[in-house]
Amino acid sequence: MGAIEIHNLSKSYGKVQALDNVSFSVERGELFGLIGPDGAGKTTLFRLLTTLLNPDAGSAKVDGYDIKKDYLAIRSRVGYMPGRFSLYPDLSVEENLQFFAALFGVSIDESYELIAPIYKQIEPFSTRRAGKLSGGMKQKLALSCALIHRPGVLFLDEPTTGVDAVSRSEFWDMLSGLKERGITILVSTPYMDEASRCDRIALCNEGKILSIDTPKGIVRRFDKRLYGISAKNMFALLGKARMVRGVEDCYPCGEKHHLVAGHEFDIEYFKSQMKDTEGLEIVNTEPTIEDMFIKLMKR
Amino acid sequence: MSDIVISVRDLTKRFGNFIAVDRISFDVHRGEIFGFLGANGAGKTTAMRMLCGLSYPTSGSGMVAGYDVRTEGEQIKRHIGYMSQRFSLYNDLTVWENIRLFAGIYGLSAKETEVRATELLDRLNFASERNTLVGSLPLGWKQKLSFAIATVHRPEVVFLDEPTGGVDPITRRQFWEMIYEAAEGGTTIFVTTHYMDEAEYCTRVSIMVDGVVRALDTPARLKQQFAAKSIDEVFRSLARGAQRGE
């Protein structure tokens, strides 16, 4: 039995279908990523699984307990870090931690060794009010509070949004550490480059799951030839490349534009059509999660 | 008209003993897409606030769109465009009402507003959505509309503060094509982002660490200088050494 099992879960708010018939399961000890933009339904799914909302249809189990019937059992077994900072800004770092420990009927001492790798980084500021902490420190405190009762399953809703690239990768290092302790983690992110840090990912958009697999498995499903193209004027290159026969799609992708080749694409023909383009380069390139996401969105 | 739209020299902001921005100097040229990167807490927001006329520097000097950041904050606000992910548009107003509101704030006459609104809506292929409530538009359309509205008064320079946060990969790229197009048309773009692939789309990129501009050049030359494969690598090697958090 998986740590999280989701069957045909749906939820709408008025006319907006936030979650549309979603099913998947997360294995025990797995680090599972929900990857998708705003409006994909990530937060709604977290609220359903943490029993803060009831579904319109479908069912789900967390740690073996039903989200509708056994909501009390679930609440004491999961840790939840919402997208918005939800600690008490007027309590100090230590008071926040004590408060959450008291809520769950545990002591800080009992859980100290679990949270230590994270909490030690903010412990020097234990008397500072939570509202006065920096973004990165708030994040560490929120994670410590979510872990204080030693939950078996951890839900993290966009913990790295708006965080710089270096702090983001440090946060993922912390998650890898927690995974090693056997905690099941469901984490959402809009940053596709973070997908590779997960065991498996679900790509989601507008309430639906587009694809579920390991990060490598997802990109292996990209069944088109992909090229990276560049030229002196990158903006003009986009418009020109899109006009050439056999070019299915062409879009910016960092340093180069990615060109998705259809059946009719012929690289020599492409070069001949583009011969007046200053500095043109075209190379084979490997697809990324984002290429796959774009392909699935356009289907 | 000068070719330099933003010019700062030794721009500094102190809060008590804390030096948030420490003698930064750079020029931004007309039609450039200038990427303003930095770790959380590096001083980006404080620097941006000074450039947008929202905060006066403690020392140093700067000109934005021809106005002095030390004394002409109000003029600067009138002559720049600004868009952030958080503050965008009013959901309970229609597309046209949003345009009219911002055009009014920037002092356009009723006639100018009508001309400009028609122009913007045509360019976005939005004419049929004129009376649609902004709240009911898809996120991607909202982003494009926000950008268009930030340019309603034809500013020389537009400041974009993390304009693509949380946006899907297709919309994010469409948004950047809009930026490219505006820059080709001569609008100067000053943009912050946490997506390192977007840094590669900029004409030049500056990277701030601990209040100081540590690197500033074209993406290609930065990668060469730091022997890195991507701007992401350049950013990481600089930001790892950061002493202060947010």
Side-chain angles (χ1 to χ4, degrees):
Chain A
M1 189 189 54
I4 304 170
E5 294 187 348
I6 301 165
H7 299 286
N8 308 107
L9 217 49
S10 291
K11 178 75 188 177
S12 59
Y13 307 112
K15 273 186 257 169
V16 181
Q17 185 80 42
L19 212 58
D20 190 0
N21 201 20
V22 165
S23 303
F24 67 90
S25 60
V26 178
E27 301 301 317
R28 258 175 223 288
E30 199 172 20
L31 176 49
F32 192 101
L34 287 173
I35 318 271
D38 291 355
K42 305 185 300 285
T43 299
T44 299
L45 184 58
F46 280 118
R47 291 189 177 151
L48 292 171
L49 295 176
T50 52
T51 78
L52 300 175
L53 279 178
N54 270 327
D56 298 338
S59 64
K61 280 184 177 174
V62 176
D63 213 3
Y65 293 90
D66 184 276
I67 56 166
K68 277 193 276 194
K69 283 205 314 270
D70 312 317
Y71 63 93
L72 283 177
I74 289 179
R75 287 178 191 180
S76 62
R77 280 174 170 77
V78 304
Y80 175 41
M81 186 171 152
R84 243 181 237 165
F85 181 66
S86 310
L87 303 180
Y88 292 91
D90 294 332
L91 295 185
S92 71
V93 166
E94 197 179 359
E95 285 165 344
N96 266 291
L97 198 61
Q98 270 162 356
F99 175 79
F100 282 91
L103 268 187
F104 288 104
V106 297
S107 71
I108 295 178
D109 286 348
E110 288 169 56
S111 304
Y112 190 79
E113 54 85 37
L114 176 66
I115 63 167
I118 301 149
Y119 187 65
K120 269 196 177 143
Q121 301 174 46
I122 48 172
E123 214 169 14
F125 312 96
S126 61
T127 56
R128 191 179 289 185
R129 285 187 192 187
K132 296 276 179 202
L133 294 176
S134 72
M137 282 158 70
K138 279 182 183 161
Q139 195 190 36
K140 282 168 191 146
L141 178 59
L143 186 57
S144 301
C145 290
L147 285 167
I148 194 72
H149 57 300
R150 312 180 70 89
V153 182
L154 193 57
F155 294 104
L156 306 170
D157 193 2
E158 296 206 16
T160 55
T161 293
V163 176
D164 72 64
V166 172
S167 311
R168 280 199 269 140
S169 74
E170 284 171 5
F171 192 81
W172 281 95
D173 293 342
M174 288 191 269
L175 295 191
S176 302
L178 292 171
K179 176 189 146 62
E180 273 164 31
R181 304 292 305 262
I183 298 175
T184 306
I185 303 171
L186 183 67
V187 53
S188 67
T189 178
Y191 299 105
M192 310 244 159
D193 57 350
E194 295 181 344
S196 62
R197 307 291 301 257
C198 302
D199 296 324
R200 281 193 306 150
I201 53 173
L203 300 184
C204 43
N205 193 45
E206 293 180 343
K208 290 195 173 73
I209 305 275
L210 303 174
S211 191
I212 297 182
D213 206 333
T214 59
K216 283 195 177 121
I218 294 254
V219 294
R220 227 178 279 133
R221 294 182 194 198
F222 194 89
D223 53 1
K224 293 266 159 71
R225 276 177 298 162
L226 191 70
Y227 296 94
I229 60 171
S230 58
K232 190 144 184 279
N233 184 332
M234 292 295 280
F235 178 57
L237 176 66
L238 269 180
K240 270 161 113 182
R242 283 176 187 153
M243 304 295 284
V244 178
R245 193 185 70 208
V247 175
E248 235 169 59
D249 202 353
C250 186
Y251 45 82
C253 209
E255 192 182 12
K256 291 187 156 51
H257 297 328
H258 278 186
L259 184 157
V260 182
H263 293 301
E264 288 190 322
F265 185 80
D266 178 87
I267 191 161
E268 293 311 320
Y269 178 76
F270 180 81
K271 282 183 192 159
S272 73
Q273 290 295 299
M274 303 286 286
K275 63 180 182 298
D276 55 345
T277 308
E278 200 182 335
L280 179 74
E281 278 182 46
I282 175 163
V283 290
N284 282 303
T285 195
E286 291 299 314
T288 63
I289 298 283
E290 218 161 354
D291 290 301
M292 195 61 199
F293 201 99
I294 290 170
K295 186 161 175 280
L296 290 166
M297 269 184 82
K298 286 195 170 164
R299 195 167 62 187
Chain B
M1 269 206 294
S2 142
D3 179 51
I4 293 174
V5 180
I6 300 174
S7 175
V8 298
R9 291 293 174 272
D10 296 321
L11 199 68
T12 299
K13 183 79 183 185
R14 282 171 181 272
F15 298 107
N17 288 328
F18 181 69
I19 308 174
V21 175
D22 191 3
R23 288 169 297 166
I24 61 170
S25 302
F26 56 83
D27 292 330
V28 180
H29 301 265
R30 185 171 311 282
E32 246 191 326
I33 303 175
F34 190 84
F36 197 56
L37 311 187
N40 295 114
K44 268 181 328 205
T45 305
T46 307
M48 276 260 267
R49 287 177 58 83
M50 289 192 279
L51 297 178
C52 293
L54 297 170
S55 158
Y56 289 115
T58 313
S59 61
S61 63
M63 297 293 281
V64 174
Y67 298 95
D68 192 329
V69 298
R70 291 172 297 188
T71 53
E72 297 177 302
E74 286 311 310
Q75 287 300 322
I76 290 177
K77 283 184 221 166
R78 267 172 234 259
H79 289 88
I80 61 166
Y82 178 81
M83 172 191 165
S84 83
Q85 184 199 353
R86 267 149 259 134
F87 177 72
S88 48
L89 303 171
Y90 289 91
N91 281 327
D92 298 328
L93 297 181
T94 64
V95 168
W96 155 245
E97 286 166 341
N98 267 289
I99 296 176
R100 195 177 64 183
L101 173 68
F102 285 96
I105 289 171
Y106 285 116
L108 268 64
S109 69
K111 204 174 143 201
E112 279 172 313
T113 301
E114 186 52 53
V115 171
R116 198 66 184 121
T118 309
E119 203 177 292
L120 292 177
L121 292 175
D122 283 347
R123 208 176 63 211
L124 293 172
N125 272 326
F126 254 33
S128 59
E129 306 295 335
R130 193 183 169 100
N131 297 315
T132 306
L133 282 183
V134 161
S136 66
L137 292 175
L139 181 68
W141 292 33
K142 276 190 208 170
Q143 295 287 113
K144 286 180 222 164
L145 185 63
S146 293
F147 180 74
I149 286 180
T151 64
V152 71
H153 53 304
R154 300 180 195 281
E156 282 182 66
V157 50
V158 186
F159 290 85
L160 306 173
D161 194 2
E162 289 182 41
T164 55
V167 175
D168 72 67
I170 294 180
T171 307
R172 205 152 72 76
R173 286 172 171 79
Q174 288 170 346
F175 190 83
W176 270 91
E177 284 188 42
M178 250 182 104
I179 294 179
Y180 271 136
E181 201 181 311
E184 293 261 303
T187 307
T188 307
I189 310 285
F190 190 95
V191 59
T192 73
T193 180
H194 285 307
Y195 292 97
M196 291 297 130
D197 60 328
E198 294 184 347
E200 308 267 1
Y201 310 153
C202 298
T203 322
R204 284 188 305 149
V205 169
S206 83
I207 300 176
M208 265 184 97
V209 180
D210 293 344
V212 178
V213 172
R214 285 286 304 280
L216 199 180
D217 215 324
T218 62
R221 280 202 291 265
L222 282 180
K223 283 181 275 189
Q224 206 173 29
Q225 189 187 333
F226 287 84
K229 281 201 234 37
S230 61
I231 291 295
D232 188 31
E233 266 184 55
V234 176
F235 180 82
R236 280 163 199 269
S237 68
L238 286 172
R240 278 238 166 76
Q243 293 302 304
R244 66 193 205 207
E246 196 177 321

